[in-house]
């Protein structure tokens, strides 16, 4: 029974060994290694941050995102605009990020900031939803199941979050970009005179459709609470407590560029939930996706425009702990493999001697064993 159990564990562990990524590099970086996908929704900064040039392909735009972000922290990186609701970016590090108990595991940086009058919590907070994935199939691509990070809106705004939201944008060259959603609503991403380029991502096809979670509107009109000499209009975007990108300032002290706001911008992998909003247990994650979570625009023309998440990079908050967790996992796998290999030989159903590395039916000591 002990040998069967060991081989069962070995088979499961071998099957998932690639889920612990650790590239062969001299020095591992706590910042992202590369962008895998960049598919923004239309917006006033799209085609400009980064800049689209005639003939650019999706691969070209991903390279430009890498130039802005790869290996860089929030001080040195350049923004990447995700556009209106649903627009996203996917990226990875040069190693898996470990889920440390009770800790925020990685931080996502943006350009949120506190509004000048301190009337509300935040004030320029264009929250993006964060998702995580583990490279279970070991192919180095973000094609395994994705899990959403459940942020504070799931608790603070119960009944106001729209799950399974879907939106489709249509091209309208050099005009307002129309959209329709699966709630029976329609609207536009409006042009303004500050940004004169095309707003629809020019390297992507017409009828862009995005699916996910729509966060509750966070825009407030506080124009009556400020002096007219200061501004005739004063709209703010209130921050959410935790769990989102571009939601809270990168630094806890505006005067101190080393006061990284790991708590406000930090993400705990343990907050991940499945499609039924049930918690999932992930020991490591390999890919992160951020998409704009708000679908709203300021009613005062050219004050805010649409709410669009800007992305400024990400960081493994506990680099050394992630690397040590990977080493521990790999050491455990090797120990199990060695103990399993000392048992009696295994044969497949054709009588060939094999080493069980996947689910199936095997023969050992003239008995049939099923490894699930």
């Amino acid at each position: 029974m002990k040998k069967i159990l060991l081989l069962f564990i070995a088979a499961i562990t071998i099957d998932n060994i690639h889920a612990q990524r650790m590239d062969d590099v001299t020095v591992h970086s706590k910042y992202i290694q590369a962008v895998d996908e960049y598919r923004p929704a239309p917006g006033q900064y799209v085609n400009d941050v980064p800049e689209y040039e005639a003939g650019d392909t999706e691969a070209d735009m991903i390279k430009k995102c890498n130039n802005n972000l790869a290996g860089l922290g929030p001080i040195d990186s350049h923004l990447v605009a995700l556009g209106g609701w649903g627009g996203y970016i996917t990226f990875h590090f040069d190693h898996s990020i470990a889920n440390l108990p009770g800790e925020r595991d990685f931080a996502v940086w943006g350009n949120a900031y506190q509004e000048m009058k301190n009337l509300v919590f935040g004030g320029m907070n264009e929250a993006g939803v964060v998702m995580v994935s583990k490279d279970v199939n070991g192919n180095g691509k973000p094609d395994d199941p994705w899990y959403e990070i459940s942020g504070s809106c799931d608790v603070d705004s119960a009944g106001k979050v729209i799950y399974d939201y879907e939106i489709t944008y249509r091209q309208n060259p050099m005009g307002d970009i129309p959209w329709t959603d699966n709630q029976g609503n329609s609207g536009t991403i409006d042009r303004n005179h500050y940004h004169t380029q095309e707003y629809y991502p020019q390297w992507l096809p017409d009828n862009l459709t995005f699916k996910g979670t729509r966060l509750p509107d966070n825009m407030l009109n506080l124009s009556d609470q400020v002096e007219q000499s200061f501004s005739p209009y004063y709209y703010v975007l209130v921050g959410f407590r935790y769990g989102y990108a571009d939601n809270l300032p990168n630094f806890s002290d505006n005067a101190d560029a080393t006061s990284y706001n790991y708590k406000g911008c930090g993400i705990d992998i343990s907050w991940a939930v499945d499609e039924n909003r049930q918690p999932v247990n992930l020991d490591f994650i390999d890919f992160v996706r951020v998409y704009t979570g708000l679908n709203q625009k300021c009613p005062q023309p050219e004050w805010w425009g649409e709410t669009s998440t800007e992305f400024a990079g990400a960081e493994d908050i506990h680099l050394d702990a992630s690397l040590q967790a990977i080493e521990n996992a790999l050491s455990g796998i090797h120990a199990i493999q060695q103990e399993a290999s000392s048992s009696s030989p295994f044969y497949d159903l054709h009588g060939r001697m094999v080493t069980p590395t996947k689910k199936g039916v095997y023969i050992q000591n003239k008995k049939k064993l099923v490894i699930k």
Side-chain angles (χ1 to χ4, degrees):
M1 178 62 69
K2 178 181 178 182
K3 291 179 180 178
I4 296 175
L5 178 61
L6 286 170
L7 283 162
F8 172 81
I9 296 173
I12 296 298
T13 310
I14 292 168
D15 187 53
N16 290 293
I17 188 171
H18 296 293
Q20 285 85 51
R21 175 193 181 97
M22 187 160 64
D23 289 359
D24 186 13
V25 296
T26 303
V27 179
H28 288 279
S29 173
K30 61 183 179 180
Y31 301 122
I32 70 174
Q33 182 187 51
V35 172
D36 300 279
E37 301 170 312
Y38 176 51
R39 294 181 68 85
Q44 60 187 311
Y45 297 101
V46 173
N47 297 315
D48 188 33
V49 185
E51 182 181 2
Y52 170 86
E53 297 174 285
D56 278 347
T57 64
E58 189 165 356
D60 293 326
M61 295 305 294
I62 289 174
K63 289 179 182 178
K64 292 182 178 183
C65 290
N66 280 322
N67 291 337
N68 284 9
L69 301 168
L72 301 173
I75 296 176
D76 301 315
S77 66
H78 299 281
L79 293 174
V80 169
L82 304 186
W85 187 89
Y88 66 89
I89 190 168
T90 306
F91 55 91
H92 65 267
F93 297 75
D94 63 21
H95 60 280
S96 300
I97 296 181
N99 184 2
L100 303 183
E103 300 280 350
R104 283 166 166 77
D105 303 298
F106 64 94
V108 183
W109 308 118
N111 68 340
Y113 59 84
Q114 177 65 38
E115 52 90 8
M116 291 182 286
K117 295 296 184 178
N118 291 311
L119 300 176
V120 297
F121 177 65
M124 177 50 183
N125 304 69
E126 301 176 288
V129 177
V130 180
M131 303 188 74
V132 294
S133 180
K134 184 175 179 179
D135 187 16
V136 177
N137 63 20
N139 67 357
K141 299 178 181 180
D143 56 4
D144 286 293
W146 282 94
Y147 304 101
E148 183 180 311
I149 295 298
S150 175
S152 59
C153 289
D154 287 341
V155 178
D156 300 342
S157 301
K160 297 180 180 179
V161 182
I162 303 176
Y163 305 108
D164 300 317
Y165 186 67
E166 182 176 323
I167 196 169
T168 297
Y169 299 94
R170 299 189 306 278
Q171 293 177 346
N172 183 29
M174 300 306 292
D176 297 344
I177 306 300
W179 59 262
T180 56
D181 67 17
N182 63 348
Q183 307 295 304
N185 302 312
S186 62
T188 54
I189 302 288
D190 296 344
R191 295 186 63 79
N192 60 60
H193 77 271
Y194 297 110
H195 306 281
T196 59
Q197 84 287 354
E198 170 59 45
Y199 286 12
Y200 194 100
Q202 293 186 264
W203 66 96
L204 296 178
D206 196 6
N207 292 309
L208 277 176
T209 298
F210 299 97
K211 301 177 182 180
T213 296
R214 176 179 169 177
L215 303 178
D217 292 352
N218 67 338
M219 184 177 295
L220 294 178
N221 181 3
L222 301 182
S223 301
D224 61 348
Q225 298 187 37
V226 299
E227 294 292 335
Q228 290 295 297
S229 59
F230 174 76
S231 174
Y233 305 107
Y234 199 66
Y235 289 86
V236 298
L237 303 173
V238 181
F240 303 125
R241 286 192 299 119
Y242 65 86
Y244 305 102
D246 195 18
N247 174 58
L248 295 173
N250 295 339
F251 306 101
S252 56
D253 182 351
N254 289 335
D256 182 3
T258 64
S259 61
Y260 297 103
N261 188 9
Y262 290 120
K263 181 177 181 180
C265 299
I267 301 295
D268 186 343
I269 296 172
S270 297
W271 296 339
V273 295
D274 62 19
E275 65 274 12
N276 297 314
R277 312 303 296 182
Q278 296 302 305
V280 294
N281 183 19
L282 297 170
D283 51 357
F284 295 91
I285 59 100
D286 297 283
F287 296 98
V288 181
R289 178 175 293 160
V290 175
Y291 67 86
T292 299
L294 294 156
N295 183 17
Q296 64 184 355
K297 63 182 179 182
C298 187
Q300 178 58 38
E302 301 192 343
W303 179 262
W304 280 129
E306 83 286 347
T307 303
S308 55
T309 301
E310 277 80 54
F311 178 67
E315 175 181 340
D316 182 348
I317 296 176
H318 307 290
L319 174 62
D320 291 340
S322 284
L323 298 179
Q324 186 60 57
I326 296 170
E327 291 284 2
N328 293 344
L330 294 176
S331 297
I333 290 169
H334 294 154
I336 291 171
Q337 287 176 317
Q338 289 175 357
E339 186 166 352
S341 64
S342 66
S343 63
S344 300
F346 279 75
Y347 300 87
D348 64 16
L349 296 181
H350 298 286
R352 297 170 298 196
M353 185 181 294
V354 296
T355 298
T357 59
K358 59 183 180 180
K359 302 175 185 178
V361 180
Y362 299 92
I363 305 296
Q364 183 189 44
N365 294 327
K366 300 181 181 180
K367 295 181 180 179
K368 185 182 295 185
L369 299 175
V370 179
I371 298 180
K372 300 181 179 179

